[in-house]
Amino acid sequence: MRRFGLFFVTLLLAGRQHVSAQALPSGPGQPWYAAVYLADHNFEIVVPGYAPGLTGVQPYQVKVGRWLGPRWALEVGYSAYHFVDKRTAYGTTATGEPTSRYSSSEDWATALPVLLRRRLTHQAAHRFQFDGLAGLTVVQYRDQLAVIEQTNGHVVREQAWGSRATNSYLTLGPAASYLFGQHVEATVEASLTKNLRTIDRTFSTQQLNGTLGFQRGWNVGLRYRFDVKRKAGASNAL
């Protein structure tokens, strides 16, 4: 009877371990993942001394994440944008002297999202999965402008100025994925971002008129799940 009891306890514990392993959304031994997306995200940016404006990051975003349990994961992303606009105009003065005006405008934006992923699908074995995302995105913005004016080949005006700012945003949205094989998932994500600073919309441009101050964004790409335990076991065998 005692042996039967020990056998029953052992079988029960093994069954629980099996169920726990099957419930892991990332698969046994696959807590880490990395993703590459085509992306387009807009942010309301506040630069001291200027009216609020709109900036964005595109066309790529990368993420690295780790499942913390059966339903929760923590992920960090990176995306950036660099825009350059250079123009030269020619003319003449009232006395007929040739003039030229060269202008250069550059913008840089870098977005760093830190998000919690919550698995919403109850059936962990399904290839289709639905998640919810929420967290914080930090955006670093910088611009630089320069103007050079010449008359008859001589510089009559040369000026350069710029600004920079760091803003933080509440970020949330849904996500869906489909698993191919054991490691590769096709994913799509939508997001809403809201600047945590108070924005005076009296002097904002019309493009800032998002719903309740939220701006939209999206990701479409592939996610790869790393088989960490298998690689560790292989290295130990060597």
Side-chain angles (χ1 to χ4, degrees):
M1 188 69 180
R2 184 178 179 181
R3 291 182 179 179
F4 176 80
L6 291 175
F7 174 78
F8 179 80
V9 172
T10 303
L11 184 61
L12 180 61
L13 291 176
R16 287 184 177 180
Q17 292 175 356
H18 177 73
V19 171
S20 176
Q22 292 296 324
L24 285 174
S26 59
Q30 297 176 334
W32 291 94
Y33 59 87
V36 178
Y37 302 97
L38 290 175
D40 188 3
H41 296 267
N42 292 320
F43 302 94
E44 292 182 353
I45 193 76
V46 177
V47 179
Y50 296 87
L54 194 68
T55 189
V57 291
Q58 57 177 313
Y60 304 111
Q61 185 178 86
V62 295
K63 285 184 180 181
V64 176
R66 189 183 194 282
W67 287 99
L68 306 177
R71 292 190 178 275
W72 292 95
L74 177 66
E75 61 185 38
V76 179
Y78 173 85
S79 54
Y81 180 66
H82 180 207
F83 175 77
V84 180
D85 184 13
K86 296 182 179 181
R87 303 183 183 185
T88 303
Y90 300 93
T92 57
T93 65
T95 58
E97 294 179 299
T99 63
S100 64
R101 185 180 189 275
Y102 169 80
S103 63
S104 173
S105 173
E106 291 190 68
D107 297 282
W108 295 264
T110 301
L112 302 171
V114 180
L115 305 175
L116 279 174
R117 178 180 295 271
R118 175 69 160 87
R119 179 126 296 175
L120 304 177
T121 312
H122 293 291
Q123 294 80 7
H126 284 189
R127 291 190 176 274
F128 276 108
Q129 297 289 346
F130 296 94
D131 303 332
L133 296 169
L136 185 73
T137 299
V138 177
V139 174
Q140 294 180 326
Y141 173 82
R142 179 168 64 96
D143 61 26
Q144 182 175 332
L145 299 92
V147 174
I148 300 175
E149 295 179 353
Q150 293 183 338
T151 299
N152 201 21
H154 299 284
V155 176
V156 296
R157 180 193 175 204
E158 184 174 1
Q159 188 176 5
W161 65 97
S163 60
R164 64 178 64 219
T166 299
N167 290 186
S168 299
Y169 302 81
L170 172 66
T171 303
L172 52 88
S177 62
Y178 180 81
L179 177 63
F180 295 93
Q182 296 295 322
H183 297 279
V184 180
E185 295 174 283
T187 68
V188 58
E189 300 175 354
S191 68
L192 293 173
T193 58
K194 181 177 177 62
N195 199 319
L196 296 181
R197 294 191 180 188
T198 301
I199 296 179
D200 184 358
R201 299 182 178 276
T202 304
F203 302 100
S204 300
T205 59
Q206 291 184 353
Q207 62 184 350
L208 289 185
N209 294 330
T211 304
L212 300 177
F214 283 92
Q215 294 293 331
R216 294 181 293 271
W218 54 265
N219 289 338
V220 177
L222 296 175
R223 185 165 58 220
Y224 184 84
R225 311 189 310 189
F226 294 97
D227 198 344
V228 177
K229 289 184 178 180
R230 182 175 300 173
K231 290 182 179 180
S235 62
N236 290 336
L238 293 177

